[in-house]
Amino acid sequence: KKMKKIILVLIICALGTVAEAQGFFSIGPKVGYNSYSLTDNIDSIQSSIKNSFQVGAFVRLGKKFYIQPEANYQIDESTLSQTIGSTVMNQDITVKSLKVPVIFGYKLINKGAFNLRLLAGPAVTFALDKQLDPENMGELWPIKSADDLKNSTWSVQMGGGIDVFFMTLDIRYEMGVDNIYNGSSNVEMKNNIFNVSLGVKFL
């Protein structure tokens, strides 16, 4: 039984090596930097831009045209501010989430050890933990609790990438499609993210 498992692992590794040599299949981890902000339809409330990170993994299938599903864990932070007279009210929003993009790409240059890519695709974000500080800002503040933020939202990612040997670098802009606000007020909030990520192709 042990020998059969060893043979099976060797076969899988061999198939992965052949697929990678043909440029059809690759898989690996990735880490990234996010510049995150919220937009809203309330003129009196401003959102600051915060930096955060993400870590995850990807699978890429295809040659000239490819599809790349991913799973990324990320922490997004933003501060909403409102000035009333001489008083400034701030609320920090922290969302820990799992983001699952499905990227469709096209290789403008495909030279084996180097390629230049265009990419775009949808992404769904599942909130794992939502925190507000302070949680309640008063009756006039639209976000009363973490439940006022949706547990899942959709967005669209677009950008470009470069591969050099086993390293893969992506630069993307993510535009929120869904209103992430789920409360009782007439508020529309969407996330906007600038992302730079670096991955390693194991296969």
Side-chain angles (χ1 to χ4, degrees):
K1 291 183 178 179
K2 188 175 181 180
M3 182 59 68
K4 289 181 179 179
K5 291 181 179 179
I6 294 174
I7 293 174
L8 179 61
V9 170
L10 292 175
I11 291 174
I12 292 173
C13 291
L15 289 175
T17 302
V18 171
E20 170 61 14
Q22 293 176 343
F24 182 80
F25 173 83
S26 57
I27 186 173
K30 58 181 298 190
V31 295
Y33 156 85
N34 293 333
S35 180
Y36 177 85
S37 67
L38 291 174
T39 59
D40 61 72
N41 61 345
I42 304 176
D43 294 335
S44 61
I45 296 180
Q46 306 298 321
S47 173
S48 63
I49 297 176
K50 293 291 186 72
N51 301 322
S52 62
F53 75 94
Q54 71 176 34
V55 59
F58 69 94
V59 174
R60 186 182 298 169
L61 299 168
K63 293 184 180 180
K64 192 75 173 179
F65 293 92
Y66 68 89
I67 182 172
Q68 181 170 309
E70 300 177 3
N72 301 309
Y73 173 79
Q74 66 183 37
I75 299 177
D76 296 322
E77 297 179 322
S78 187
T79 299
L80 299 181
S81 302
Q82 185 179 42
T83 302
I84 302 176
S86 60
T87 303
V88 179
M89 304 172 63
N90 295 320
Q91 184 181 57
D92 295 327
I93 300 175
T94 302
V95 180
K96 300 175 183 178
S97 59
L98 176 67
K99 186 180 296 292
V100 182
V102 178
I103 299 299
F104 298 90
Y106 173 72
K107 296 178 181 178
L108 293 172
I109 300 174
N110 188 15
K111 296 297 183 180
F114 171 83
N115 68 60
L116 176 66
R117 300 172 281 108
L118 292 178
L119 56 92
V124 59
T125 302
F126 302 98
L128 305 176
D129 182 62
K130 300 173 289 184
Q131 298 177 6
L132 304 179
D133 184 25
E135 185 166 337
N136 196 326
M137 298 278 286
E139 291 300 321
L140 298 179
W141 193 262
I143 303 178
K144 302 294 190 298
S145 72
D147 292 335
D148 287 344
L149 303 176
K150 288 182 180 178
N151 291 323
S152 63
T153 55
W154 286 91
S155 57
V156 175
Q157 296 186 356
M158 60 196 76
I162 297 174
D163 291 354
V164 179
F165 293 104
F166 59 89
M167 306 296 293
T168 176
L169 174 70
D170 280 6
I171 298 176
R172 304 179 188 176
Y173 177 74
E174 180 174 339
M175 180 175 58
V177 175
D178 279 349
N179 182 6
I180 70 172
Y181 180 76
N182 197 34
S184 58
S185 302
N186 187 23
V187 177
E188 184 172 334
M189 302 178 66
K190 295 181 179 180
N191 59 0
N192 298 277
I193 301 174
F194 173 77
N195 169 259
V196 179
S197 65
L198 181 65
V200 178
K201 296 183 288 186
F202 282 159
L203 292 176

